[in-house]
Amino acid sequence: MTEHLLKILFVGDGCVGKSSFVHRYVNGQFNKSYKMTVGVDFNMKLLPWTDTEKVRLQLWDIAGQERFISMTRIYYKGASGCVVMFDVGSAASFLSCRQWKQDLDNKSMRSDGQPLPCILLANKCDLKERVVSVDSIQKFSQACGFTFWMETSVKDNRNVSEAMRRLVEEILSVQSALSPLPPSGVGFQLDSQLSGTSHTGCSC
Ligand code: GDP
Ligand code: MG
């Protein structure tokens, strides 16, 4: 059995739903009073993939910043892919996605020098009051080189596992193109110190 170990980063302004997304994806729950993340929160998820392969995801969920901040290179090191998230009810969170993507592209790349697979998630699509149009998301996603974009609702459990599955597919196809040998040795080495989780801080 081949195991792929993939480090996936979640970035985006505070309150867009990153922690709720990871929590829903890993634990299958939506908790309205989910606490704001302080520091970095690590979560693991094991995905059965094929008869001979499984995927172990290490999900890095960053601190709840209100606005964009430049991240340390250490955060990006060894990453296989990234999720940039905004809230369709917040124009400011959408505008910040440009900077989040640029920061990622400045500080990380694939072994062939290309940008990392990165998806754009338009979260809270259950909201009636949307201020970001589908047309502008579409244009922005193309212009900034996102692998794809998707509307999600963590609340209604819409497109959460679908988005992750498509991202993992993309990462694995990139990795197998870059290294035709079985990718067992490729990927991020899990540091046992990083495998715990921590939840602290004030509510959002
Ligand atoms: P983070 O700061 O990006 O990690 O955001 P959180 O996960 O802490 O979520 C911020 C707030 O948005 C919380 O009150 C969540 O309950 C709420 N939230 C997250 N996802 C959704 C969603 O899909 N729809 C709605 N309506 N609210 C959501
Ligand atoms: Mg958070």
Side-chain angles (χ1 to χ4, degrees):
M1 180 70 81
T2 307
E3 184 173 303
H4 305 272
L5 190 51
L6 306 181
K7 171 180 174 180
I8 300 193
L9 311 174
F10 285 77
V11 297
D13 285 1
C15 290
V16 299
K18 300 179 297 299
S19 300
S20 304
F21 185 98
V22 171
H23 185 62
R24 165 74 89 184
Y25 183 55
V26 172
N27 304 312
Q29 288 171 354
F30 179 69
N31 183 349
K32 270 187 118 176
S33 60
Y34 199 75
K35 295 285 190 290
M36 184 189 273
T37 318
V38 171
V40 179
D41 197 5
F42 304 97
N43 285 272
M44 299 292 295
K45 170 132 176 140
L46 191 62
L47 267 188
W49 197 250
T50 63
D51 290 347
T52 55
E53 293 170 295
K54 54 186 173 179
V55 176
R56 190 178 291 275
L57 297 176
Q58 191 188 38
L59 310 171
W60 289 47
D61 172 25
I62 60 156
Q65 305 296 331
E66 276 308 311
R67 293 281 181 272
F68 167 77
I69 48 146
S70 178
M71 298 294 291
T72 156
R73 280 177 193 276
I74 293 165
Y75 179 69
Y76 294 110
K77 199 164 177 251
S80 310
C82 183
V83 174
V84 177
M85 187 179 287
F86 69 96
D87 165 357
V88 293
S90 158
S93 74
F94 177 57
L95 290 175
S96 291
C97 290
R98 184 180 300 277
Q99 290 166 295
W100 287 110
K101 178 72 163 65
Q102 271 169 5
D103 200 46
L104 171 81
D105 290 345
N106 288 341
K107 294 173 185 166
S108 67
M109 62 173 84
R110 292 171 4 189
S111 58
D112 62 352
Q114 293 297 307
L116 282 191
C118 179
I119 64 171
L120 178 66
L121 296 186
N123 191 37
K124 307 196 187 180
C125 68
D126 56 279
L127 292 180
K128 290 203 178 66
E129 307 238 327
R130 300 172 51 136
V131 299
V132 187
S133 73
V134 166
D135 191 44
S136 56
I137 304 169
Q138 180 74 45
K139 287 192 177 123
F140 171 74
S141 171
Q142 267 191 331
C144 286
F146 284 94
T147 309
F148 63 87
W149 77 273
M150 237 187 205
E151 287 191 348
T152 59
S153 167
V154 180
K155 185 169 174 241
D156 293 350
N157 200 11
R158 216 167 116 203
N159 280 343
V160 173
S161 54
E162 290 80 355
M164 292 305 293
R165 176 154 280 273
R166 280 187 60 190
L167 175 61
V168 170
E169 271 168 12
E170 174 68 18
I171 292 170
L172 293 182
S173 82
V174 163
Q175 287 193 348
S176 66
L178 291 176
S179 63
L181 293 171
S184 53
V186 179
F188 180 75
Q189 288 295 314
L190 177 62
D191 183 333
S192 58
Q193 288 178 324
L194 299 181
S195 59
T197 60
S198 59
H199 302 284
T200 33
C202 53
S203 65
C204 196

